[in-house]
Amino acid sequence: MLLQTDKTERSSQVERKHRDSFGMFDGYDSCSEDTSSSSSSDESEEEVAPLPSSLPIIKNNGQVYTYPDGKSGMATCEMCGMVGVRDAFYSKTKRFCSVSCSRSYSSNSKKASILARLQGKPPTKKAKVLQKQPLVAKLAAYAQYQATLQNQAKTKAAVPVEGFSWGNYINSNSFTAAPVTCFKHAPMGTCWGDIAEGVRVEVPNTDCSLPTKVFWIAGIVKLAGYNALLRYEGFENDSSLDFWCNICGSDIHPVGWCATSGKPLVPPRSIQHKYTNWKAFLVKRLTGAKTLPPDFSQKVSESMQYPFKTSMRVEVVDKTHLCRTRVAVVDSVVGGRLRLVYEESEDKTDDFWCHMYSPLIHHIGWSRSIGHRFKRSDITKKQDGHFDAPPHLFTKVKEVDAAGEWFKEGMKLEAIDPLNLSAICVATIRKVLADGYLMIGIDGSEAADGSDWFCYHATSPSIFPVGFCEINMIELTPPRGYAKLPFKWFDYLRETDSIAAPVKLFNKEVPNHGFHVGMKLEAVDLMEPRLVCVATVTRIIHRLLRIHFDGWEDEYDQWVDCESPDLYPVGWCQLTGYQLQPPAPQSSRDSQSSSSKQKKKAKSQQYKGHKKMTSLQLKEELLDGEEYSFLQGTSDQESNGSASYYIKQEP
């Protein structure tokens, strides 16, 4: 009984000591023997076990700022080791917490003070005064949030892609990836900040024989989307231990995280012999350097919260009849991408993938409100648990003024064919709907009942005025069966007794997108929208991007808008847990190339076209359709201006 009481008291003391020391920034004083010995494995799996005394261990004791740029945030007293708000520190340099510490440092008593801290003696009362309760509360919340992230990381493993590594692929070919800032819809797309080469982070030290998890500081050598090539501090020009990781991963932290979390910084075993004073080395290396924002992990988590939930009902394009919509139910949400199951599908196999910002999905009642065709469901009442998605969750289109000069039925234009996204075709406005929506048909290949018409908004970047392809040196796909080649718009308009839609009605805005030819990214194959593939930007025409799927023939290329929600940074699949389709192997390319030569194509009305193989199977079906090669001239517009966007229409 006495033994149990004694054990209970010790446990209570340990718990109280842990709580008190956390309030006093235990992480920065964790070199003390008392702190190390009291952090038992019974309290937490993440506690660090005692390490050999001969090993050089750095724990940010008094010399490394939480924010290495020294401009804001926290500071550590170089005398007593106390952490406090930088603005409250003494002197211009903010090196000391008080006048006494400054004088003590000057009188050569620093060594005695450090020794006292190593022996477990608490900091002075003066230093404690600097700790403001709101800051302690924020750090406590941050620590709790980090623990939550670690638990999530344990339960959700990244989806592996056998045999493919973005890092190796980029390194071996000297590729460049599109920056995260190009993708406003992707996680961190609008708050990526100044993350670039040279930024320092704290990461697990894999070059270590210790049984516990330890960390070290590394610098970003190269960025590729979310992925960063890192090099441990101290390796200088030695790239032997460079490694790739996802910068948004749960194991990547800003400099100073180990100090606040009580984690040890241990130099890699390969370079331990290089320096005798690692503390001085870090101070020198980190002075003036940049690191991640302290709330970076929180921002990543917040940017990966999606408003769409399972069981929500939406209206989505009918993939078998593009001219109409159907009701579908959200079955799953992955990285903002929705797997929608058509409501009438009993076995849940009749599905459709799209992003939550896709122009193909709408709130319940949208079709009726604008006069769009709609397939009524045989299900007369909602199934239990299903509910309509709120209208405010859907992407808002730009308001237009249709009162004056506006699009009219029969007007001609050029449009990306949704059944063959590699082609821009001669098209006609078949019906003008409400709120700026238009029903478009591809000349020469329309069904008699209009079942292959498709809906584009007047501001859509997928429709263009007559002459757009000619001025930008893109081969325009003429109407099927049209014999008078080469195709001339002036002759065609006269022959069909038609007029061209006025240029001023089209969307001429060109955002500063940041894409360049040759950049790598991950892109949805819109002809098989469940697949996200390794891809490359091969042409840029103002805001229009030509996306090539690595390892596949050019006939599978797709024209996509620069702000399409179906484009993602390198590393998006790993971050969200989505399956990435690697470049097609040579055997698959040979197979699909020979198949395409043997088969004569005829367009299907289903919203699937050129199909690619998944990483497991080569699909034999290929979309029937004409093949057209693009002119590779020098007129690709990589500038973001709108100069010479259109040619003057002929009378």
Side-chain angles (χ1 to χ4, degrees):
M1 185 70 177
L2 182 61
L3 180 61
Q4 289 180 347
T5 303
D6 183 60
K7 183 177 181 180
T8 303
E9 289 180 357
R10 287 203 311 270
S11 176
S12 177
Q13 290 175 358
V14 168
E15 182 180 356
R16 186 166 58 253
K17 180 176 180 61
H18 177 76
R19 183 170 58 252
D20 293 343
S21 63
F22 177 82
M24 294 311 300
F25 298 89
D26 174 57
Y28 282 87
D29 294 300
S30 55
C31 268
S32 65
E33 295 174 1
D34 182 59
T35 303
S36 299
S37 60
S38 65
S39 300
S40 65
S41 59
D42 294 335
E43 285 186 63
S44 170
E45 293 180 6
E46 298 299 324
E47 291 295 331
V48 180
L51 302 175
S53 57
S54 59
L55 190 67
I57 302 175
I58 311 300
K59 294 193 179 182
N60 294 31
N61 284 296
Q63 293 191 18
V64 181
Y65 290 123
T66 304
Y67 300 87
D69 60 3
K71 295 179 181 178
S72 60
M74 306 295 297
T76 307
C77 180
E78 295 187 16
M79 184 60 207
C80 70
M82 194 53 222
V83 179
V85 179
R86 177 176 169 78
D87 292 340
F89 267 44
Y90 175 72
S91 78
K92 292 182 179 180
T93 59
K94 307 297 182 184
R95 295 170 59 193
F96 307 104
C97 66
S98 63
V99 177
S100 61
C101 280
S102 177
R103 290 175 179 172
S104 298
Y105 187 90
S106 301
S107 59
N108 297 322
S109 62
K110 180 181 178 184
K111 184 181 296 184
S113 177
I114 293 176
L115 181 60
R117 285 181 20 245
L118 291 174
Q119 292 173 346
K121 296 180 180 179
T124 64
K125 291 183 179 179
K126 289 181 181 179
K128 289 185 181 181
V129 175
L130 292 174
Q131 298 308 318
K132 306 296 182 183
Q133 185 59 34
L135 183 59
V136 174
K138 289 180 181 179
L139 287 175
Y142 180 72
Q144 182 178 2
Y145 173 73
Q146 287 291 340
T148 303
L149 281 184
Q150 291 175 0
N151 291 333
Q152 291 176 350
K154 292 176 182 177
T155 58
K156 187 180 83 170
V159 177
V161 180
E162 185 177 356
F164 179 76
S165 164
W166 261 121
N168 294 337
Y169 190 57
I170 288 175
N171 272 350
S172 59
N173 298 280
S174 299
F175 289 142
T176 301
V180 174
T181 52
C182 290
F183 311 87
K184 305 303 182 187
H185 57 281
M188 300 299 292
T190 58
C191 53
W192 190 245
D194 297 328
I195 300 175
E197 295 177 6
V199 166
R200 306 305 206 286
V201 293
E202 291 180 353
V203 295
N205 178 4
T206 57
D207 184 23
C208 184
S209 58
L210 296 173
T212 55
K213 190 175 185 178
V214 295
F215 294 79
W216 189 241
I217 294 173
I220 298 178
V221 178
K222 184 174 184 177
L223 264 181
Y226 294 118
N227 293 346
L229 180 63
L230 299 179
R231 181 174 301 169
Y232 290 122
E233 283 295 336
F235 274 80
E236 308 301 337
N237 296 322
D238 182 3
S239 61
S240 59
L241 286 186
D242 288 3
F243 60 99
W244 285 90
C245 70
N246 196 303
I247 206 72
C248 295
S250 59
D251 268 340
I252 311 300
H253 309 283
V255 172
W257 175 85
C258 285
T260 58
S261 305
K263 305 297 181 184
L265 285 171
V266 180
R269 180 174 49 185
S270 305
I271 59 171
Q272 283 178 11
H273 63 280
K274 291 184 66 175
Y275 301 95
T276 56
N277 189 344
W278 282 99
K279 294 181 182 180
F281 168 79
L282 283 184
V283 172
K284 182 178 179 180
R285 292 288 295 175
L286 296 180
T287 300
K290 291 184 178 180
T291 188
L292 300 177
D295 59 347
F296 183 76
S297 295
Q298 183 176 353
K299 287 183 177 179
V300 172
S301 178
E302 291 173 353
S303 67
M304 294 181 67
Q305 301 300 315
Y306 308 107
F308 280 87
K309 309 299 179 185
T310 56
S311 299
M312 281 185 173
R313 299 171 76 240
V314 301
E315 288 185 8
V316 64
V317 65
D318 185 344
K319 65 183 181 182
T320 59
H321 294 82
L322 297 186
C323 66
R324 68 188 185 190
T325 58
R326 296 171 61 183
V327 173
V329 179
V330 177
D331 178 72
S332 59
V333 183
V334 183
R337 289 186 59 74
L338 312 177
R339 180 179 183 262
L340 302 173
V341 176
Y342 290 113
E343 198 170 47
E344 295 173 304
S345 177
E346 296 181 358
D347 58 359
K348 293 188 176 183
T349 57
D350 190 9
D351 62 357
F352 185 80
W353 279 92
C354 67
H355 194 272
M356 62 183 183
Y357 295 148
S358 171
L360 300 177
I361 61 171
H362 310 276
H363 62 85
I364 298 296
W366 172 84
S367 298
R368 176 182 294 180
S369 68
I370 70 160
H372 194 283
R373 287 190 192 178
F374 176 77
K375 181 185 179 183
R376 294 187 178 276
S377 173
D378 294 335
I379 301 175
T380 56
K381 127 172 153 174
K382 296 180 191 174
Q383 298 182 16
D384 292 341
H386 292 177
F387 58 102
D388 295 350
H392 71 268
L393 298 185
F394 299 86
T395 302
K396 299 293 186 296
V397 294
K398 185 178 179 181
E399 292 186 5
V400 294
D401 181 14
E405 187 176 10
W406 192 240
F407 292 101
K408 296 179 182 178
E409 291 183 17
M411 283 184 172
K412 300 294 183 181
L413 69 165
E414 299 175 3
I416 296 176
D417 184 354
L419 295 175
N420 180 12
L421 292 168
S422 67
I424 299 179
C425 307
V426 173
T428 303
I429 297 173
R430 293 305 180 187
K431 189 176 182 181
V432 178
L433 308 180
D435 296 340
Y437 287 95
L438 310 170
M439 294 303 294
I440 309 260
I442 300 298
D443 286 21
S445 58
E446 297 177 64
D449 59 355
S451 59
D452 57 354
W453 295 353
F454 49 94
C455 184
Y456 278 143
H457 193 263
T459 61
S460 170
S462 298
I463 59 174
F464 317 96
V466 164
F468 173 82
C469 286
E470 182 179 352
I471 190 61
N472 291 292
M473 298 184 68
I474 301 173
E475 185 167 341
L476 177 67
T477 302
R480 184 177 300 233
Y482 187 73
K484 194 174 180 181
L485 300 177
F487 178 85
K488 296 292 184 183
W489 263 116
F490 181 77
D491 295 337
Y492 185 70
L493 290 174
R494 185 174 54 191
E495 292 168 7
T496 56
D497 193 22
S498 306
I499 61 172
V503 173
K504 64 180 181 180
L505 299 181
F506 292 84
N507 180 10
K508 304 181 189 65
E509 294 181 4
V510 181
N512 186 19
H513 50 69
F515 286 102
H516 297 285
V517 170
M519 282 183 169
K520 296 293 178 181
L521 69 163
E522 297 176 4
V524 175
D525 175 8
L526 294 171
M527 295 291 94
E528 189 71 31
R530 65 185 176 84
L531 302 181
V532 178
C533 312
V534 174
T536 307
V537 177
T538 56
R539 286 193 71 182
I540 300 176
I541 309 296
H542 303 287
R543 65 179 300 149
L544 196 62
L545 309 180
R546 178 79 168 176
I547 301 298
H548 174 76
F549 297 100
D550 290 20
W552 294 89
E553 299 293 333
D554 292 346
E555 67 186 79
Y556 295 94
D557 290 1
Q558 296 176 4
W559 288 107
V560 181
D561 182 62
C562 65
E563 294 183 341
S564 168
D566 296 305
L567 303 178
Y568 308 103
V570 166
W572 179 86
C573 282
Q574 181 188 14
L575 177 63
T576 60
Y578 204 95
Q579 178 69 56
L580 176 67
Q581 299 300 320
Q586 183 62 44
S587 58
S588 300
R589 293 199 298 268
D590 293 342
S591 176
Q592 53 100 0
S593 177
S594 60
S595 297
S596 63
K597 291 178 180 178
Q598 293 171 0
K599 293 187 178 182
K600 204 157 191 186
K601 304 179 176 77
K603 187 184 289 185
S604 164
Q605 289 188 16
Q606 188 166 354
Y607 195 58
K608 289 185 178 181
H610 293 311
K611 294 183 181 178
K612 301 184 183 61
M613 298 171 298
T614 63
S615 55
L616 302 176
Q617 180 183 11
L618 171 64
K619 295 185 177 181
E620 296 181 355
E621 293 186 26
L622 298 175
L623 174 72
D624 295 338
E626 311 262 345
E627 293 187 39
Y628 299 96
S629 59
F630 282 75
L631 297 176
Q632 299 297 325
T634 58
S635 66
D636 290 7
Q637 302 295 320
E638 290 193 48
S639 66
N640 292 328
S642 58
S644 68
Y645 191 63
Y646 307 113
I647 63 170
K648 184 178 180 181
Q649 297 181 55
E650 296 184 60

